[in-house]
Amino acid sequence: MTTYLDDCRFSAISEYNLATTAPLLQKLLKEAIRVAPKHLDFAVTCGHRDERAQNEAYAKGTSTKRWPNSKHNQMPSLAVDIRPALPFEAKDWQDKIRFGRIIGFIECVAAELGIKIRCGLDWDMDGRSLDETFPDLPHIELA
């Protein structure tokens, strides 16, 4: 019998992106994907960002920081971006509830592991997202 726990695995691209992050982020996300139920499956879209990629993210408005001021710019990266796994369409980047469920799950795994993180849904870490002026749904960083 197949269970949800048997279904979630990182793709080669997610593994590559995750490998550019700090060991604590790798530990956290590997444990999260290992125990995630299928409806909370996720992919790793970005770990380290080089100068070109960071400045491009800033120009597109998906980052508020220029090179080298983002936690993504260190090597290994102290930040990671995730997204829900398939099915995933362009409109899903705006699905705050779908992202929030996954980020909340990852926050629970982080608490279990004793890893302190901060997420782009709640920059000031007050448990609320409505007060954020730049909600960055995919972003997780070491606190």
Side-chain angles (χ1 to χ4, degrees), residues 25-138:
L25 280 175
Q26 291 182 39
K27 178 180 179 179
L28 168 60
L29 295 183
K30 285 180 180 183
E31 179 62 11
I33 200 69
R34 186 184 75 77
V35 299
K38 183 65 177 161
H39 67 282
L40 296 179
D41 194 3
F42 63 96
V44 178
T45 60
C46 179
H48 174 74
R49 264 193 218 127
D50 62 18
E51 185 172 1
R52 181 199 54 77
Q54 184 61 43
N55 289 336
E56 184 178 296
Y58 179 80
K60 287 190 332 190
T62 56
S63 177
T64 60
K65 302 205 164 81
R66 292 185 173 148
W67 173 271
N69 299 316
S70 169
K71 287 194 175 188
H72 284 284
N73 303 149
Q74 298 182 41
M75 186 54 128
S77 177
L78 301 179
V80 66
D81 290 344
I82 60 107
R83 69 158 176 80
L86 300 174
F88 190 83
E89 302 172 18
K91 67 181 179 180
D92 293 326
W93 285 112
Q94 304 306 315
D95 191 338
K96 290 181 182 179
I97 293 173
R98 190 172 181 199
F99 271 95
R101 293 177 74 198
I102 294 168
I103 295 293
F105 172 74
I106 293 171
E107 287 176 319
C108 290
V109 174
E112 285 281 319
L113 296 174
I115 298 172
K116 296 189 185 301
I117 60 171
R118 182 169 83 154
C119 302
L121 284 170
D122 184 19
W123 290 111
D124 57 5
M125 300 170 67
D126 67 353
R128 304 176 64 92
S129 61
L130 293 177
D131 61 341
E132 300 304 330
T133 58
F134 183 76
D136 189 353
L137 305 182

